[in-house]
Amino acid sequence: QLSENEIKLIETDVEKIINFGYSVTTQSMNPEDAIKKGALALFGEKYGETVRVIEFGPSVELYGGIHVQNTNEIGIFKLVTETAVAAGIRRVEAITSSEADRFIKNQITLLESFKNITIFMN
């Protein structure tokens, strides 16, 4: 499991890529060429004869539904869950843009509600 510090480091690294403003390119190729190019394929996943690959800055990924022309369009990034996929491999899920903003505001509201609670200890 990722530590809180590791999560913060991942968020910081992703935010640097987002804020740099890389152009996003998409191309179709066979899975073998995508892997040679640097895309990570997961064992057990089913891939067709052709996969879409996106590239932005240092990242080469199998297409996951990104719909931006530039990483700046992604906005806020917040990692929300992480799970084990295989030995030594974690899958992280994140929210971005207005959904991430809404999540963060809800967390702040929750924290602010606790400052009005007095805890009595014996």
Side-chain angles (χ1 to χ4, degrees):
Q1 186 171 356
L2 295 172
S3 69
E4 285 297 318
N5 189 51
E6 289 170 319
I7 290 171
K8 287 177 185 172
L9 288 172
I10 291 168
E11 289 177 336
T12 299
D13 287 347
V14 171
E15 287 167 358
K16 286 178 185 175
I17 291 171
I18 290 169
N19 293 330
F20 189 85
Y22 288 106
S23 293
V24 178
T25 60
T26 305
Q27 56 184 308
S28 295
M29 60 185 69
N30 66 50
E32 295 80 20
D33 287 341
I35 292 167
K36 287 178 189 173
K37 194 169 187 69
L40 177 65
L42 300 175
F43 294 107
E45 295 286 329
K46 302 285 186 201
Y47 300 105
E49 291 181 22
T50 303
V51 294
R52 292 180 69 189
V53 176
I54 60 169
E55 292 185 66
F56 48 94
S59 187
V60 177
E61 308 294 334
L62 291 176
Y63 183 78
I66 194 162
H67 300 284
V68 297
Q69 300 295 312
N70 186 292
T71 58
N72 276 330
E73 296 174 43
I74 297 169
I76 300 170
F77 173 89
K78 179 67 181 136
L79 198 150
V80 291
T81 61
E82 56 99 8
T83 56
V85 174
I89 298 175
R90 308 295 292 177
R91 178 186 306 255
V92 297
E93 295 179 16
I95 52 179
T96 60
S97 192
S98 60
E99 187 65 27
D101 184 53
R102 187 171 24 263
F103 175 85
I104 292 167
K105 286 177 180 172
N106 286 340
Q107 293 298 305
I108 291 169
T109 300
L110 180 63
L111 285 172
E112 287 174 346
S113 71
F114 282 111
K115 70 181 175 184
N116 296 323
I117 298 174
T118 305
I119 299 175
F120 296 98
M121 300 182 71
N122 294 343

